[in-house]
Amino acid sequence: MYFLSGWPKRLLCAPRSPAEAPLHVQSDPRRAFFAVLAPARLSIWYSRPSVLIVTYKEPAKSSTQFGSYKQAEWRPDSTMIAVSTANGYILFFHITSSRGDKYLYEPVYPKGSPQMKGIPHFKEEHCAPALNLEMKKILDLQAPIMSLQSVLEDLLVATSDGLLHLIHWEGMTNGRKAINLSTVPFSVDLQSSRGSFLGFADVHIKDMEYCATLDGFAVVFNDGKVGFITPVSSRFTAEQLHGVWPQDVIDGTCVAVNNKYRLMAFGCASGSVQVYTIDNTTGAMLLSHKLELTAKQYPDIWNKTGAVKLIRWSPDNSAVIVTWEYGGLSLWSVFGAQLICTLGGDFAYRSDGTKKEPLKIHSMSWGAEGYHLWVISGFGSQHTEIESDLRSIVKQSSILLFQFIKSVLTVNPCMSNQEQVLLQGEDRLYLNCGEASQTQNSKSSSARTDHMPSRGKNPFADGGLESQGLSTLLGHRHWHVVQISSTYLESNWPIRFSAIDKLGQNIAVAGKFGFAHYSLLTKKWKLFGNITQEQNMIVTGGLAWWNDFMVLACYNLSDRQEELRIYLRTSNLDNAFAHVTKAPVETLLLSVFRDMVVVFRADCSICLYSIEKKFDGSNTSASVEVLQEVSMSRYIPHPFLVVSVTLTSVSTENGITLKMPQQARDAESIMLNLAGQLIMMQRDRSGPQIREKDSNPNQRKLLPFCPPVVLAQSVENVWTTCRANKQKRHLLEALWLSCGGAGMKVWLPLFPRDHRKPHSFLSQRIMLPFHINIYPLAVLFEDALVLGAVNDTLLYDSLYTRNSAREQLEVLFPFCVVERTSQIYLHHILRQLLVRNLGEQALLLAQSCAALPYFPHVLELMLHEVLEEEATSREPIPDPLLPTVAKFITEFPLFLQTVVHCARKTEYALWNYLFAAVGNPKDLFEECLMAQDLDTAASYLIILQNMEVPAVSRQHATLLFNTALEQGKWDLCRHMIRFLKAIGSGESETPPSTPTAQEPSSSGGFEFFRNRSISLSQSAENVPPGKFSLQKTLSMPSGPSGKRWSRDSDCAENMYIDMMLWRHARRLLEDVRLKDLGCFAAQLGFELISWLCKERTRAARVDNFVVALKRLHKDFLWPLPIIPASSLSSPFKNGKCRTVGEQLLKSQSADPFVTPEMDAGISNIQRSQSWLSNIGPTHRDTDIASSPGPQMQDAFLSPLSNKGDECSIGSATDLTESSSMVDGDWTVVDENFSTLSLTQSELEHISMELASKGPHKSQVQLRYLLHIFMEAGCLDWCVVIGLILRESSVVSQILSIAQSSEMDGEMLQNIKTGLHAVERWAATDCPGYKPFLNIIKPQLQKLSEMKEQVQPDTFQPVTMGKTPEQTSPRAEESRGSSSRASISQSETGSNSVVSRKEEDTTQADEEEPFQDGAYDCSVS
């Protein structure tokens, strides 16, 4: 509505003596001049520019006679000022133009500037006029004057002797007698035959104000009583006056009257403002609402403000400003919604937390159009603790100008059918370019010229809303600021109306004369080319957009004619392109609905026009025809009282019962806001209906309107839409009302389900009230959102630390900005429907909105609010709503998440009440598991842990842990490990008691023993925080006994968890799920090698080589090898070429763990303490642990001479997994290679070999697994992986190891039988494996021979004590550096991953092995 902007300005008027300090300010009726009173001087200031024009100083002699000046009042034509003095005199001053050059200030333009001097009225607009003040008459009323009030051509004066004087402006009493208040009868209402008199002698009026629309005076008496005095007939004499009063106000201090809404605001000594209206039928005073600070918002000041000092309504009557005796200023909307208050927040406290002196206001007056508030202030001078040098500065009064931005709805209510928020300042416009304009036209969202400083506070942050759709829906927190054309402003300030089109791409503004419009796409203003045409029209009734046309009601000054004009946006702004319709009387309001324009006129008539586009050759224009006129003079006492007029498709029939459904979308009714009363006039369908197809639509006579019906009271704004959407009929066919302090109301249509016949006893609409926390400025109908704006403040006082700067305005006041804000309201409406047993309607409405991104949040809010209210209620609730809400939420798939999120955000004490309504948490947990929703199940676990004994939560946690392991939800698994350990550590036999607010445990963090490891090698601190986190407290035992408990249970818990991990690993190996095993080990830091060492002869045996081989091919997406037809007679059968083919095959996927030195290492194996320690590469020239990823090496292809089988083990090709070889980018480096000529068939063979490789990622993963199994000595698995990779070197190396004396005979036998089985399978099912099996055949035969020579008793299992994992606590220390790097990276899981920053980015799927990039594979 109204919002403060920036810092206030201080006007230069430094008084040299106390007699010159300003004490009262009063604007003239046009708000162009301000009279400023000091005790002995009267000054006239101009409003724009804010300059002093003339000052009248009272001579010392007469000053002592008159006393100091007190109040001023302007004559309605601004030619005179009446000033009251302390000793009962009224001084009449004439204001005349000074002779000679009549301008005091003139703008100076540089030579040759385009400023046009030929503009009519130019001088008057831009220059402050030179004026003279002359005292013409002095009137002595012989009693101190309490109040002055200008009434039409008279001045009404109340004196302290209880008299009311009616004085003519020329200073004559016209022989009329003063009225004695004690002779005016007072009663509770006007129907009483005769009222009582004010029965005591010294009664007089303390403050009064005239209300033109009520024709009477609101008065405050010196004893605190208040009343309203009205003349019973036209004559103003004591016999004709009658007063009414409310009986409950006895501490009135001041009064202000709102003419548009017929309200009287009485300030009270208690600090509240009571707003009264007059009952139309009885004439009694009825309390409309109160303006008072609440203890909830202002706990330290709400009852310490002192009495209300001043009340002032804004010029457009839509807001009221209130100040108190002890300082402070507050702004409220007309029906009591608080907009600003300076008694809290940054206004009241400095940045260091100390309290500021509140601003004391002695007098204030609104400027033109409400853009400024002139304030005469002094900071609290009676407090002596301020430093003395400061006091002298602060004590003196000064004139401050507060600047305001206001919503366009205050002056142009036809904007309420738009979904944009538009605010107007005196020289700029603020609009939200986020919503409709973003979705309908992406171009305009980039049209952003300026940002207001803003704090990034999200309106939804407190609700924990996780939705990505909101950003597009709500845009951003900033405004799109459009600076109004300075050329237009110079001669037409202030801006009176503004309007934006439906798409949010064009804006029009109208000032003093003419209008201008702006396009957000081109960022250009369009003004009248002919300045005379602009200066000849005054927009009177507002302006609106219709497609590409501007519709406006104006007064033509040259023809003295009221007109309705339509201008096309795309053509030049000129009357030649306008369509003009003459109007009989002045138009006060205008609104557009589809292709109709509705206007409200000064004779209380409503006229409907149809508007259509016309193509006249190349010109486009619009034509207007009168459709219907409706006289409202019977119902409207004064035309000024009509706040808004809207044409809508809303009617009491909701479209289903209408005889013709298409009529539901027509202009069904007129909504009229009459001084806050919403009146609806529907079409009268009781007469005979004309079928539409029988008549020409242009000649169709429109139906008459029924008599008006009052829909609601205290209405500030009304929103409807003319769009239709079958999916969201509830929201689009509803009527939205803003009712000030009472919140909002929605008039919702009720639809029968499945188009059944509606019940005759059910009404077809229902009015539902609901409260929102923001001031609503627009309604997004489909999105179920209310948009608004809110004042935010920024403190800059820390920049001014010197004492001399303490009185700077930047220190005394915070910088004010306006922020966009929004709120969802759906949960309020659903709840209201459920309260009224309209669950079916609530379900229909909710289902239509279920696709909204914040719908889960809506359900959660509804559940949370009902729970908080009912569970904390002191009295028993006869008909609780929570079970109904719970039942309602079960209709949606989000039921389980909604309940648990609500519980987690509610205190523990309310859980029993909640779960009594929604069901047992154990059952809900099991439902989550059945629905495979593990994250939600984990949230229920927190609840179970708080509500049940530890045994129960452990049982459920184990269940969840096993399911998470099965599904590979590693984040969750890590949290479950921590959770199970924490349960073990803090185990007690009773569930923890409810945490109180003082306990540190209720902080909401999960208190774990941070230095205990997750598995034997990984500490809990290193676990990366997942997207799911458990955030509820555990009650840990405190004291020494607690510590001992945790130490004892530590081993048991670790054992329990390790048992589960082992069981899972065993299951994976038995199912030959090696890929899952790798992910499992890497993500959870599982000690795979040590476990495999233990399980070498049990779970880690390969039972069926063929099944394992097939399964690995499938899991790793590795193609089975095939033999091309041409290779049956291939030259590759001879030895020489075979090694080359093999070389190529190897070089594409060289084993990073097997190097040429390995061959030598095997032959003298006796030198090493164990064969295990020699498997890693022996050269240590590069230490990978310190490098930021695998070393990049060039790939070489060099031919080998035929050296037999040893060439197939020692490879001259050393290449990393990230080499470009894999992409087929073959770089021949060795020039000798060119001597080897390859035939077509050989090339074909090589390409077949390449085609039979799997993805690069799988290759890296298989090599890593090979390395792990090698370390653990599970040679049978190594053979299987070697077969898949078709690495003869690997298989040969394994068979060589098998020949060593320490080899387990059983495993050897297993390998042999397995390989034979593979051979048989290859012969029948997969001939592609045969060439490879032929390569390793000699090794296999050698092994068989050796097996027969050796005695069986030499094959003893390797004792576990000899493995490095068992002998030293850190196995890594006994390994070679490069193998240490690879193992430490892989086994500590995802925490110590060395990020792979590889230069070669040609691989699109270059991710870390095993799913989520868990670990890296280091290569030396």
Side-chain angles (χ1 to χ4, degrees):
M1 189 55 72
Y2 271 76
F3 307 98
L4 270 175
S5 167
W7 279 300
K9 296 175 183 170
R10 179 180 276 143
L11 297 185
L12 291 171
C13 65
R16 286 181 292 278
S17 67
E20 297 177 9
L23 56 88
H24 181 83
V25 61
Q26 183 73 39
S27 71
D28 80 321
R30 290 191 305 123
R31 299 183 196 274
F33 299 98
F34 287 83
V36 176
L37 292 184
R41 58 167 58 195
L42 163 66
S43 310
I44 306 289
W45 288 69
Y46 196 56
S47 67
R48 178 187 161 99
S50 303
V51 288
L52 176 63
I53 295 175
V54 62
T55 301
Y56 174 87
K57 292 184 187 173
E58 189 67 53
K61 187 180 172 192
S62 54
S63 180
T64 49
Q65 181 195 348
F66 298 145
S68 62
Y69 291 175
K70 289 294 180 197
Q71 276 179 294
E73 188 68 27
W74 289 78
R75 188 169 172 164
D77 59 3
S78 301
T79 56
M80 285 180 81
I81 298 179
V83 175
S84 66
T85 67
N87 296 344
Y89 290 88
I90 295 181
L91 314 177
F92 290 92
F93 292 90
H94 270 240
I95 301 173
T96 54
S97 293
S98 56
R99 302 169 219 28
D101 185 15
K102 58 176 197 170
Y103 295 107
L104 197 60
Y105 296 90
E106 290 190 24
V108 177
Y109 297 107
K111 278 182 183 167
S113 78
Q115 295 327 81
M116 293 140 303
K117 296 290 183 193
I119 305 176
H121 319 296
F122 176 84
K123 282 274 189 189
E124 296 97 292
E125 299 311 321
H126 285 285
C127 317
L131 301 176
N132 272 350
L133 270 177
E134 197 182 339
M135 192 192 291
K136 280 282 185 189
K137 199 168 271 305
I138 301 164
L139 192 69
D140 183 5
L141 293 178
Q142 290 162 3
I145 294 166
M146 305 310 296
S147 179
L148 273 185
Q149 186 71 43
S150 175
V151 182
L152 308 174
E153 280 305 303
D154 293 310
L155 190 64
L156 190 72
V157 185
T159 50
S160 62
D161 53 7
L163 296 178
L164 266 181
H165 302 267
L166 197 65
I167 299 164
H168 196 269
W169 266 104
E170 296 302 328
M172 297 294 172
T173 52
N174 293 0
R176 283 179 289 186
K177 213 168 61 186
I179 296 161
N180 194 333
L181 284 176
S182 55
T183 62
V184 177
F186 273 83
S187 57
V188 178
D189 57 41
L190 289 176
Q191 289 177 330
S192 315
S193 55
R194 195 81 184 124
S196 58
F197 297 97
L198 298 172
F200 45 96
D202 56 350
V203 63
H204 64 261
I205 291 176
K206 190 159 65 172
D207 191 15
M208 67 175 175
E209 194 169 328
Y210 177 67
C211 179
T213 50
L214 285 172
D215 190 25
F217 306 88
V219 293
V220 178
F221 295 107
N222 57 329
D223 61 345
K225 287 202 172 79
V226 302
F228 178 71
I229 300 176
T230 180
V232 185
S233 70
S234 57
R235 291 188 61 234
F236 193 85
T237 56
E239 294 74 44
Q240 300 302 326
L241 291 181
H242 192 285
V244 288
W245 57 11
Q247 294 182 310
D248 46 359
V249 182
I250 51 163
D251 61 344
T253 56
C254 56
V255 64
V257 162
N258 184 328
N259 277 302
K260 195 170 199 71
Y261 289 89
R262 299 172 96 171
L263 297 174
M264 296 169 278
F266 294 100
C268 300
S270 62
S272 70
V273 175
Q274 308 217 19
V275 184
Y276 279 87
T277 182
I278 295 285
D279 186 332
N280 284 334
T281 50
T282 65
M285 286 177 72
L286 301 176
L287 180 68
S288 166
H289 57 277
K290 286 186 183 181
L291 313 178
E292 52 191 352
L293 301 180
T294 61
K296 189 178 173 187
Q297 286 174 300
Y298 303 95
D300 51 347
I301 192 93
W302 66 280
N303 54 356
K304 302 185 181 73
T305 56
V308 175
K309 183 160 189 181
L310 295 167
I311 306 172
R312 294 284 182 270
W313 290 95
S314 65
D316 54 29
N317 291 292
S318 62
V320 63
I321 204 150
V322 176
T323 68
W324 294 278
E325 190 185 340
Y326 297 150
L329 174 149
S330 63
L331 184 67
W332 311 73
S333 77
V334 61
F335 287 112
Q338 189 184 315
L339 303 170
I340 301 162
C341 179
T342 64
L343 291 177
D346 290 344
F347 286 103
Y349 295 94
R350 297 186 187 89
S351 48
D352 58 5
T354 54
K355 204 165 173 13
K356 292 187 214 173
E357 266 305 309
L359 171 73
K360 294 210 164 182
I361 294 177
H362 304 314
S363 176
M364 60 182 174
S365 187
W366 284 94
E369 294 294 323
Y371 294 128
H372 292 119
L373 181 74
W374 288 58
V375 163
I376 291 184
S377 70
F379 285 82
S381 52
Q382 81 274 20
H383 292 280
T384 51
E385 63 264 21
I386 312 170
E387 297 90 1
S388 56
D389 62 324
L390 184 61
R391 197 181 326 149
S392 58
I393 304 164
V394 167
K395 240 184 189 174
Q396 67 183 33
S397 305
S398 59
I399 303 176
L400 297 181
L401 252 66
F402 286 90
Q403 302 168 71
F404 286 91
I405 298 168
K406 62 179 183 174
S407 161
V408 63
L409 294 173
T410 58
V411 282
N412 201 17
C414 72
M415 295 308 298
S416 66
N417 55 12
Q418 308 285 32
E419 297 191 9
Q420 273 89 15
V421 175
L422 180 62
L423 306 180
Q424 60 188 51
E426 68 166 333
D427 61 348
R428 66 195 67 187
L429 300 169
Y430 298 81
L431 63 144
N432 57 338
C433 55
E435 295 72 19
S437 54
Q438 234 178 26
T439 49
Q440 289 162 1
N441 189 324
S442 57
K443 282 187 234 169
S444 64
S445 63
S446 64
R448 206 178 315 152
T449 53
D450 191 300
H451 286 317
M452 291 182 65
S454 147
R455 288 188 194 166
K457 280 188 280 181
N458 189 337
F460 295 105
D462 56 341
L465 184 66
E466 304 107 11
S467 110
Q468 61 288 356
L470 273 178
S471 56
T472 53
L473 195 61
L474 293 180
H476 39 72
R477 306 273 301 166
H478 290 254
W479 295 94
H480 184 156
V481 181
V482 176
Q483 202 75 31
I484 297 170
S485 158
S486 56
T487 316
Y488 180 74
L489 268 182
E490 268 192 345
S491 47
N492 298 296
W493 184 91
I495 295 300
R496 291 162 54 240
F497 303 103
S498 57
I500 189 167
D501 68 347
K502 278 244 179 344
L503 296 176
Q505 289 166 11
N506 299 294
I507 309 170
V509 296
K512 193 168 184 177
F513 300 105
F515 75 103
H517 62 90
Y518 176 83
S519 162
L520 285 166
L521 299 182
T522 63
K523 297 190 168 57
K524 287 200 175 111
W525 280 96
K526 203 176 262 191
L527 277 65
F528 271 96
N530 183 342
I531 197 80
T532 318
Q533 291 183 2
E534 178 190 276
Q535 300 290 315
N536 244 334
M537 65 183 280
I538 299 176
V539 177
T540 57
L543 71 167
W545 286 88
W546 176 75
N547 303 337
D548 257 356
F549 294 91
M550 281 149 288
V551 184
L552 47 101
C554 65
Y555 178 68
N556 185 332
L557 288 167
S558 56
D559 298 354
R560 299 191 178 177
Q561 173 68 49
E562 301 288 344
E563 295 172 343
L564 182 70
R565 294 191 187 182
I566 297 175
Y567 291 84
L568 178 63
R569 176 182 67 84
T570 48
S571 65
N572 286 343
L573 202 48
D574 194 291
N575 291 348
F577 302 109
H579 180 276
V580 180
T581 309
K582 292 188 175 173
V585 283
E586 185 185 352
T587 302
L588 299 180
L589 292 163
L590 166 148
S591 177
V592 173
F593 173 83
R594 295 212 180 91
D595 298 336
M596 292 169 88
V597 180
V598 54
V599 297
F600 177 76
R601 300 200 180 120
D603 61 354
C604 296
S605 67
I606 291 172
C607 185
L608 302 184
Y609 293 93
S610 72
I611 177 172
E612 58 180 320
K613 211 168 181 175
K614 244 186 1 193
F615 296 99
D616 178 19
S618 59
N619 296 338
T620 309
S621 64
S623 68
V624 167
E625 281 180 20
V626 177
L627 288 178
Q628 198 171 2
E629 288 205 39
V630 186
S631 172
M632 296 289 293
S633 50
R634 287 173 57 196
Y635 310 108
I636 298 175
H638 195 292
F640 182 65
L641 297 175
V642 178
V643 180
S644 69
V645 59
T646 325
L647 210 54
T648 73
S649 55
V650 173
S651 68
T652 46
E653 314 283 309
N654 57 21
I656 289 166
T657 51
L658 291 179
K659 298 178 176 113
M660 291 178 283
Q662 73 274 11
Q663 287 171 341
R665 290 189 301 280
D666 288 345
E668 271 304 301
S669 56
I670 294 174
M671 298 283 173
L672 209 67
N673 184 348
L674 177 65
Q677 269 197 343
L678 187 67
I679 293 174
M680 178 173 85
M681 291 193 305
Q682 295 189 78
R683 295 238 181 242
D684 186 359
R685 296 195 176 276
S686 55
Q689 302 285 298
I690 308 159
R691 290 181 67 111
E692 204 152 309
K693 63 180 181 191
D694 300 345
S695 65
N696 182 349
N698 295 337
Q699 295 157 3
R700 189 167 89 244
K701 190 169 185 305
L702 287 169
L703 293 167
F705 286 94
C706 302
V709 181
V710 176
L711 282 185
Q713 303 278 359
S714 307
V715 176
E716 291 181 8
N717 284 313
V718 184
W719 292 274
T720 69
T721 180
C722 55
R723 289 201 315 279
N725 180 340
K726 279 196 174 148
Q727 274 67 48
K728 296 188 178 177
R729 291 191 60 189
H730 279 94
L731 296 178
L732 280 164
E733 294 183 24
L735 185 74
W736 304 89
L737 315 175
S738 150
C739 300
M744 284 186 79
K745 289 181 183 174
V746 56
W747 201 36
L748 202 69
L750 302 179
F751 298 108
R753 274 192 107 153
D754 317 321
H755 300 289
R756 286 176 293 194
K757 195 170 184 309
H759 296 295
S760 54
F761 58 85
L762 270 184
S763 76
Q764 291 174 10
R765 278 186 179 271
I766 187 167
M767 188 73 82
L768 303 174
F770 60 93
H771 270 276
I772 60 168
N773 302 327
I774 64 175
Y775 189 84
L777 296 176
V779 176
L780 297 185
F781 303 95
E782 283 102 332
D783 298 319
L785 275 176
V786 172
L787 303 182
V790 65
N791 252 122
D792 196 9
T793 49
L794 305 166
L795 279 174
Y796 287 97
D797 58 355
S798 52
L799 305 177
Y800 301 88
T801 47
R802 302 187 316 281
N803 260 1
S804 60
R806 289 281 286 281
E807 80 286 354
Q808 297 244 2
L809 288 176
E810 291 83 354
V811 180
L812 299 171
F813 295 98
F815 185 84
C816 294
V817 291
V818 185
E819 287 215 337
R820 293 170 49 186
T821 169
S822 56
Q823 202 175 331
I824 33 185
Y825 55 74
L826 202 54
H827 56 292
H828 295 299
I829 297 179
L830 295 176
R831 182 179 166 180
Q832 291 283 355
L833 287 169
L834 292 175
V835 167
R836 289 160 172 75
N837 288 328
L838 293 168
E840 200 173 71
Q841 297 292 329
L843 200 57
L844 281 174
L845 174 58
Q847 281 163 350
S848 72
C849 298
L852 291 174
Y854 36 83
F855 184 69
H857 187 59
V858 168
L859 295 181
E860 206 181 303
L861 273 175
M862 178 163 71
L863 185 62
H864 183 78
E865 285 181 6
V866 174
L867 171 66
E868 290 266 309
E869 269 178 41
E870 296 190 354
T872 55
S873 165
R874 301 232 172 112
E875 289 82 35
I877 295 165
D879 189 12
L881 189 62
L882 191 63
T884 317
V885 171
K887 189 162 176 280
F888 176 77
I889 295 174
T890 51
E891 297 285 336
F892 298 92
L894 299 158
F895 168 66
L896 296 164
Q897 289 100 304
T898 306
V899 170
V900 78
H901 289 169
C902 176
R904 295 276 303 279
K905 289 170 192 163
T906 313
E907 54 185 300
Y908 172 68
L910 310 184
W911 285 5
N912 285 327
Y913 189 82
L914 172 65
F915 287 106
V918 296
N920 190 321
K922 284 191 273 194
D923 302 340
L924 299 175
F925 174 86
E926 281 156 25
E927 274 184 54
C928 291
L929 281 189
M930 283 163 65
Q932 303 287 309
D933 185 358
L934 302 191
D935 284 352
T936 308
S939 291
Y940 276 106
L941 206 53
I942 300 286
I943 284 157
L944 286 171
Q945 187 229 346
N946 280 285
M947 294 182 78
E948 304 283 344
V949 291
V952 173
S953 42
R954 176 189 297 209
Q955 175 194 348
H956 286 81
T958 310
L959 205 61
L960 179 58
F961 185 37
N962 286 331
T963 317
L965 283 173
E966 272 307 313
Q967 294 191 8
K969 294 273 183 75
W970 306 119
D971 266 347
L972 186 54
C973 290
R974 282 194 286 272
H975 286 303
M976 293 316 300
I977 291 172
R978 286 196 306 176
F979 185 76
L980 283 162
K981 287 186 177 180
I983 285 185
S985 322
E987 190 159 341
S988 58
E989 284 312 303
T990 55
S993 61
T994 311
T996 59
Q998 287 78 28
E999 279 182 37
S1001 68
S1002 58
S1003 62
F1006 216 138
E1007 306 299 330
F1008 286 117
F1009 293 109
R1010 306 219 35 160
N1011 37 5
R1012 259 194 304 133
S1013 59
I1014 273 207
S1015 184
L1016 304 171
S1017 68
Q1018 183 183 16
S1019 71
E1021 288 176 348
N1022 294 333
V1023 180
K1027 56 180 180 290
F1028 171 79
S1029 58
L1030 304 166
Q1031 292 183 344
K1032 199 71 185 174
T1033 53
L1034 280 155
S1035 302
M1036 295 293 183
S1038 53
S1041 60
K1043 285 182 188 153
R1044 185 175 48 75
W1045 232 118
S1046 70
R1047 215 174 294 117
D1048 294 348
S1049 64
D1050 215 8
C1051 295
E1053 282 306 317
N1054 278 338
M1055 199 63 203
Y1056 178 65
I1057 292 162
D1058 285 347
M1059 290 289 285
M1060 282 195 279
L1061 294 173
W1062 293 341
R1063 190 170 62 215
H1064 185 65
R1066 201 171 295 127
R1067 193 180 307 132
L1068 291 177
L1069 263 186
E1070 283 162 5
D1071 298 348
V1072 200
R1073 285 160 60 190
L1074 280 203
K1075 189 163 188 171
D1076 293 351
L1077 181 71
C1079 288
F1080 161 70
Q1083 292 277 4
L1084 297 187
F1086 180 65
E1087 289 273 9
L1088 194 52
I1089 296 179
S1090 59
W1091 179 77
L1092 285 169
C1093 285
K1094 288 184 222 161
E1095 296 284 337
R1096 197 185 301 153
T1097 54
R1098 296 189 294 256
R1101 277 189 58 196
V1102 183
D1103 296 329
N1104 187 330
F1105 271 62
V1106 178
V1107 170
L1109 206 56
K1110 285 182 179 171
R1111 178 72 198 242
L1112 288 185
H1113 271 294
K1114 184 175 166 219
D1115 275 4
F1116 288 94
L1117 307 171
W1118 203 269
L1120 288 165
I1122 46 173
I1123 294 185
S1126 61
S1127 70
L1128 298 175
S1129 56
S1130 165
F1132 276 77
K1133 284 178 178 174
N1134 69 40
K1136 172 176 178 245
C1137 287
R1138 191 191 71 214
T1139 48
V1140 174
E1142 205 173 288
Q1143 195 57 40
L1144 296 174
L1145 183 146
K1146 254 194 316 210
S1147 60
Q1148 185 218 356
S1149 56
D1151 181 17
F1153 307 114
V1154 183
T1155 54
E1157 283 89 343
M1158 187 71 74
D1159 196 27
I1162 291 164
S1163 57
N1164 37 9
I1165 199 151
Q1166 286 79 17
R1167 280 185 303 165
S1168 65
Q1169 47 177 320
S1170 156
W1171 56 268
L1172 271 169
S1173 64
N1174 220 31
I1175 286 202
T1178 49
H1179 52 89
R1180 289 177 167 76
D1181 49 348
T1182 58
D1183 184 8
I1184 296 189
S1186 63
S1187 70
Q1191 299 290 333
M1192 298 295 296
Q1193 295 173 12
D1194 286 325
F1196 296 96
L1197 266 182
S1198 47
L1200 286 170
S1201 53
N1202 186 9
K1203 292 182 190 167
D1205 270 287
E1206 66 181 273
C1207 318
S1208 62
I1209 300 173
S1211 158
T1213 307
D1214 192 2
L1215 120 109
T1216 64
E1217 77 246 23
S1218 56
S1219 157
S1220 58
M1221 280 296 191
V1222 188
D1223 289 344
D1225 184 7
W1226 291 70
T1227 316
V1228 180
V1229 179
D1230 198 324
E1231 66 277 1
N1232 297 335
F1233 194 74
S1234 55
T1235 58
L1236 186 72
S1237 58
L1238 294 175
T1239 64
Q1240 174 68 34
S1241 59
E1242 290 166 4
L1243 281 168
E1244 195 177 276
H1245 191 93
I1246 291 166
S1247 66
M1248 292 303 295
E1249 292 274 1
L1250 286 175
S1252 62
K1253 289 287 172 195
H1256 174 65
K1257 191 174 173 183
S1258 300
Q1259 186 175 322
V1260 177
Q1261 291 173 342
L1262 282 165
R1263 289 187 181 291
Y1264 174 74
L1265 285 169
L1266 176 66
H1267 173 63
I1268 293 280
F1269 283 121
M1270 278 283 211
E1271 286 266 328
C1274 301
L1275 299 185
D1276 38 4
W1277 273 114
C1278 296
V1279 171
V1280 175
I1281 297 172
L1283 284 174
I1284 279 221
L1285 291 170
R1286 270 166 288 142
E1287 297 276 348
S1288 57
S1289 57
V1290 173
V1291 180
S1292 307
Q1293 178 200 357
I1294 292 160
L1295 298 177
S1296 306
I1297 292 171
Q1299 293 167 21
S1300 71
S1301 58
E1302 294 180 8
M1303 185 60 202
D1304 183 354
E1306 201 180 321
M1307 188 181 283
L1308 203 55
Q1309 189 55 44
N1310 193 23
I1311 291 172
K1312 271 175 59 182
T1313 40
L1315 283 172
H1316 288 312
V1318 171
E1319 269 184 37
R1320 288 196 297 279
W1321 169 70
T1324 56
D1325 291 359
C1326 187
Y1329 262 118
K1330 284 173 83 176
F1332 182 69
L1333 290 167
N1334 289 338
I1335 294 171
I1336 60 170
K1337 212 162 200 171
Q1339 287 285 99
L1340 196 58
Q1341 284 166 351
K1342 207 194 288 183
L1343 190 67
S1344 307
E1345 290 159 16
M1346 184 189 159
K1347 172 83 171 70
E1348 284 148 19
Q1349 291 163 10
V1350 180
Q1351 299 300 325
D1353 59 353
T1354 57
F1355 291 103
Q1356 295 299 330
V1358 180
T1359 54
M1360 295 311 283
K1362 283 188 185 171
T1363 62
E1365 279 88 346
Q1366 298 295 324
T1367 49
S1368 74
R1370 289 191 57 79
E1372 291 84 3
E1373 284 159 20
S1374 64
R1375 298 180 190 144
S1377 67
S1378 49
S1379 95
R1380 170 163 77 245
S1382 58
I1383 287 169
S1384 60
Q1385 284 181 25
S1386 59
E1387 286 187 15
T1388 53
S1390 58
N1391 46 16
S1392 57
V1393 173
V1394 176
S1395 62
R1396 302 160 40 112
K1397 299 192 181 83
E1398 292 162 6
E1399 291 84 10
D1400 180 11
T1401 56
T1402 52
Q1403 283 285 338
D1405 58 348
E1406 192 90 348
E1407 295 159 26
E1408 279 121 355
F1410 295 112
Q1411 282 185 2
D1412 311 314
Y1415 48 79
D1416 213 333
C1417 205
S1418 308
V1419 179
S1420 72

